[in-house]
């Protein structure tokens, strides 16, 4: 069996995979270039992809014997699941293991942007802390505010759980009536949330969802936190809203990544930005690599991968095994 791992990952994951076959790891800095990926995929039985690797119809044409593409991420908008299904390739992600780390980062951004942590630090570095003053470095108190969660799934709920400790009320954006608490309809959600935190995957339904109309309907002085995917937000409209009524934004993700220090959102005084580090803890990155490895090992051993996203491929394979 030939297994490709498209980045350096936890050594334990590589060791685990080595029990099932020859493991080839892309160890150079940055994502594997497309032409190398095309060459690698040609004789691979399994590939562990990163969110920076695009697995599309065109790549899959070169995949002669690929059984599984195991994404080391919970989001899988970099993989064309439909094309993989047609090509008979199983696709998996890594849910659960990064839930708490991502929820922590959403809170880190919320606290940093609302309490002006970064702005105050930068002012200190410029030597501007000349005296204590009643109106110096003011932020917005979280306590008593309403936190609005978009996407009340694993990560959204983990963010919500922490709200009680901060004395915040939680509402969630409901998809359809009847709305049971904490779900509310969109108009109520945007009218009442002091902070909106995004936890939906990027899909055709969510791309550009936070558009000009959405932002205009947010409360004056309210905050947007995005640890999900940049493509959910219309960045031009967000910049306009930040120049206007929005209190600020905490952004871990961008429509096109990576972005430089000169990106207008990164430089905006009302923004705290981080470089897609939602899952970036040692513990979580190790767990993600092991989870992706386990998905590969299952597929190669003829077992159903635990995080299978296109079960129809598995069912077709199982039926063929049964007939044989
Ligand atoms: C994911 O897993 O989708 C995250 O964005 C990675 O940090």
């Amino acid at each position: 069996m030939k297994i490709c791992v498209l980045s350096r990952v936890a050594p334990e994951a590589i060791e685990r995979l080595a029990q099932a076959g020859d493991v080839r790891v892309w160890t150079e800095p940055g994502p594997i270039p497309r032409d190398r990926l095309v060459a690698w995929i040609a004789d691979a039985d399994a590939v562990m992809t990163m969110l920076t690797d695009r697995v599309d119809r065109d790549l899959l044409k070169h995949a002669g014997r690929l059984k599984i593409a195991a994404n080391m991420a919970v989001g899988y908008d970099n993989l064309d699941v439909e094309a993989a299904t047609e090509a008979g390739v199983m696709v998996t992600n890594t849910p659960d293991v990064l839930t708490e780390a991502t929820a922590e980062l959403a809170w880190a951004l919320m606290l940093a942007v609302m309490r002006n942590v970064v702005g105050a630090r930068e002012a200190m570095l410029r030597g501007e802390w000349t005296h204590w003053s009643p109106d110096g470095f003011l932020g917005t108190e979280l306590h008593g505010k309403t936190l609005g969660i978009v996407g009340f799934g694993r990560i959204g709920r983990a963010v919500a759980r922490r709200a009680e400790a901060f004395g915040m009320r939680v509402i969630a954006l409901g998809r359809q009536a009847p709305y049971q608490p904490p779900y509310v309809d969109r108009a109520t959600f945007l009218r009442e949330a002091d902070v909106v935190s995004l936890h939906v995957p990027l899909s055709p339904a969510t791309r550009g969802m936070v558009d000009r109309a959405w932002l205009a309907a947010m409360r004056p002085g309210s905050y947007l936190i995005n640890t999900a995917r940049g493509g959910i937000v219309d960045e031009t409209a967000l910049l306009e809203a930040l120049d206007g009524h929005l209190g600020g934004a905490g952004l871990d993700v961008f429509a096109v990544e990576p972005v430089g220090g000169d990106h207008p959102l990164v430089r905006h005084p009302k923004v705290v930005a981080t470089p897609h580090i939602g899952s970036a803890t040692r513990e979580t990155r190790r767990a993600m690599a092991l989870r992706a490895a386990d998905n590969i090992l299952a597929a190669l051993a003829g077992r159903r991968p635990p995080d299978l996203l296109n079960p129809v491929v598995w069912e077709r394979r199982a039926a063929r095994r049964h007939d044989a």
Side-chain angles (χ1 to χ4, degrees):
M1 295 287 182
K2 291 211 166 117
I3 305 165
C4 298
V5 177
L6 301 186
S7 183
R8 273 185 223 270
V9 297
E12 301 94 306
I14 304 294
E15 282 157 26
R16 227 177 249 191
L17 289 171
Q19 294 165 13
D22 293 337
V23 185
R24 192 174 199 188
V25 183
W26 180 256
T27 52
E28 292 185 33
I32 184 169
R34 188 71 171 181
D35 57 331
R36 303 297 298 279
L37 179 55
V38 165
W40 277 32
I41 211 88
D43 63 350
D45 295 281
V47 61
M48 188 192 293
T49 52
M50 307 298 125
L51 57 83
T52 41
D53 303 310
R54 207 161 29 85
V55 177
D56 53 17
R57 205 170 285 279
D58 185 49
L59 181 75
L60 288 163
K61 277 192 217 138
H62 302 275
R65 43 192 254 207
L66 192 67
K67 293 175 189 58
I68 178 167
N71 212 30
M72 196 186 111
V74 67
Y76 51 90
D77 46 285
N78 57 313
L79 308 178
D80 184 338
V81 180
E82 198 182 304
T85 305
E86 279 167 30
V89 174
M90 290 181 269
V91 173
T92 58
N93 65 343
T94 57
D96 302 320
V97 287
L98 46 72
T99 298
E100 306 303 329
T102 309
E104 285 177 4
L105 190 81
W107 276 96
L109 289 173
M110 220 184 304
L111 285 160
V113 70
M114 290 178 74
R115 292 304 310 271
N116 193 21
V117 173
V118 176
R121 176 177 187 274
E122 285 170 356
M124 274 180 93
L125 291 174
R126 289 193 300 269
E128 289 170 13
W129 187 26
T130 51
H131 58 282
W132 185 94
S133 98
D135 61 355
F137 310 119
L138 297 187
T140 300
E141 192 146 320
L142 283 75
H143 186 264
K145 300 294 190 312
T146 297
L147 168 61
I149 307 274
V150 182
F152 208 52
R154 282 178 291 253
I155 299 174
R157 283 168 200 264
V159 171
R161 275 199 303 278
R162 290 155 169 82
E164 197 188 336
F166 284 91
M168 293 180 83
R169 166 185 171 239
V170 172
I171 55 175
L173 179 64
R175 265 190 281 196
Q176 58 194 35
Y179 301 106
Q180 306 288 352
Y183 293 103
V184 294
D185 64 86
R186 178 179 143 143
T188 309
F189 182 85
L190 295 176
R191 195 175 56 242
E192 296 191 358
D194 297 293
V195 191
V196 169
S197 192
L198 304 178
H199 303 288
V200 282
L202 179 62
S203 70
T206 62
R207 187 176 287 280
M209 178 178 77
V210 179
D211 58 9
R212 198 162 270 116
W214 173 295
L215 291 159
M218 283 176 68
R219 290 172 73 83
S222 62
Y223 295 83
L224 180 73
I225 306 296
N226 191 3
T227 53
R229 285 291 183 271
I232 299 165
V233 177
D234 175 340
E235 293 184 337
T236 309
L238 176 58
L239 272 168
E240 287 166 17
L242 286 164
D243 289 337
H245 72 294
L246 224 58
L251 304 175
D252 185 47
V253 285
F254 295 83
V256 178
E257 297 179 358
V259 297
D262 56 350
H263 190 286
L265 281 170
V266 175
R267 298 195 69 80
H268 199 285
K270 288 187 185 173
V271 171
V272 173
T274 47
H276 203 146
I277 57 168
S279 64
T281 67
R282 287 176 199 86
E283 298 86 341
T284 289
R285 286 286 162 83
R286 176 177 175 278
M288 289 165 75
L290 288 171
R291 184 103 175 200
D294 286 346
N295 279 308
I296 289 177
L297 292 176
L300 296 184
R303 287 181 280 111
R304 184 187 160 116
D307 304 310
L308 189 58
L309 295 165
N310 52 353
V312 64
V313 176
W314 163 258
E315 282 148 21
R316 282 205 302 255
R317 282 177 182 268
R320 274 206 301 276
R321 269 198 301 274
H322 183 263
D323 291 346

